[in-house]
Each structure stands twice: as C-alpha cells, then as structure tokens.
Amino acid sequence: MEPIVKEKVQSILERFVHQEAYLHLETTNGAYAAHHRGGLNAGAYIRNGRIHVERAIIAGNGPYRVGLKISQGWVYAEGLTDWEVDQKGRLLLAGHDQEGHLAVAMELSRHPFE
C-alpha cells in the first residue's frame, strides 16, 4: 500500500460509479489493535455487501474519508491513509495509526471477496 493521493483514488473510485460492486468495510480497535485494549472495544464489519454505487467521493486533506452514495443511502469510511489496486482490480483503502496499526479498511470489488 502507499499513501493516498487524492486525485488517483478519486479516479479509481469513479470506475465503480453506476456499477454493482461488493463492499468490504471494517473498523476496529479490537483484535487487530491490541494497543487499545483496556478500553471499550468497538468495531463494525461487513463483507460482500452488494451495492450499486451512484456516486463516490474522497474528501479531506489526510487522513481522508470516502463516501459512497448507494441506492438506499450512504456508506462512508473515515481515517483513510493508504491505498492500492491489487492484481484483481480491487480498490483497497486502509487507515493506519502512527504505529501502523489498522483502524479502518474499505475495499471495493466487482466480484465477491473470498
């Protein structure tokens, strides 16, 4: 993964607009982030959520947030710092803290995730 370049990520996001896509969205301060233990563990997780992307926007000056307008509302992830497109054409976005711990992941794919 590499640090987010807003214009590059926006360009990739637009490939999913007006398309069906599979969404992976995960936030955590639990299992992947033991540094937060001792406090409240909270997180959210969805994998292979099938969505129709009507609009996709990256905003902020870093860390970034990505919002997806979908048929029935919005999905967004905040605190994103890094990105890549893998060999399968999936857009992978992640938010890492100063120590490199994963705090949030948002991924879009045209095919279900394994």
Side-chain angles (χ1 to χ4, degrees):
M1 300 193 97
E2 60 185 74
I4 287 176
V5 176
K6 194 172 173 180
E7 295 76 18
K8 288 183 179 179
V9 171
Q10 182 64 51
S11 175
I12 301 300
L13 284 169
E14 288 173 8
R15 295 180 189 174
F16 290 92
V17 173
H18 304 300
Q19 304 286 321
E20 297 290 323
Y22 290 89
L23 172 70
H24 173 90
L25 179 63
E26 178 177 1
T27 65
T28 183
N29 69 354
Y32 301 135
H35 59 289
H36 286 298
R37 291 187 194 255
L40 173 68
N41 281 336
Y45 182 91
I46 182 171
R47 186 164 185 87
N48 287 324
R50 190 168 178 187
I51 60 174
H52 180 86
V53 180
E54 295 181 355
R55 187 174 169 202
I57 300 170
I58 183 168
N61 296 313
Y64 299 91
R65 65 184 170 278
V66 167
L68 304 173
K69 172 79 172 88
I70 61 176
S71 304
Q72 302 296 321
W74 283 86
V75 175
Y76 82 92
E78 191 166 8
L80 299 166
T81 58
D82 302 289
W83 77 291
E84 72 178 29
V85 174
D86 71 5
Q87 302 93 340
K88 295 180 179 179
R90 301 179 299 194
L91 174 59
L92 313 176
L93 298 162
H96 297 102
D97 67 13
Q98 296 92 347
E99 298 172 354
H101 299 112
L102 179 66
V104 59
M106 178 185 233
E107 302 175 356
L108 286 172
S109 173
R110 296 192 195 291
H111 305 285
F113 295 96
E114 297 95 32

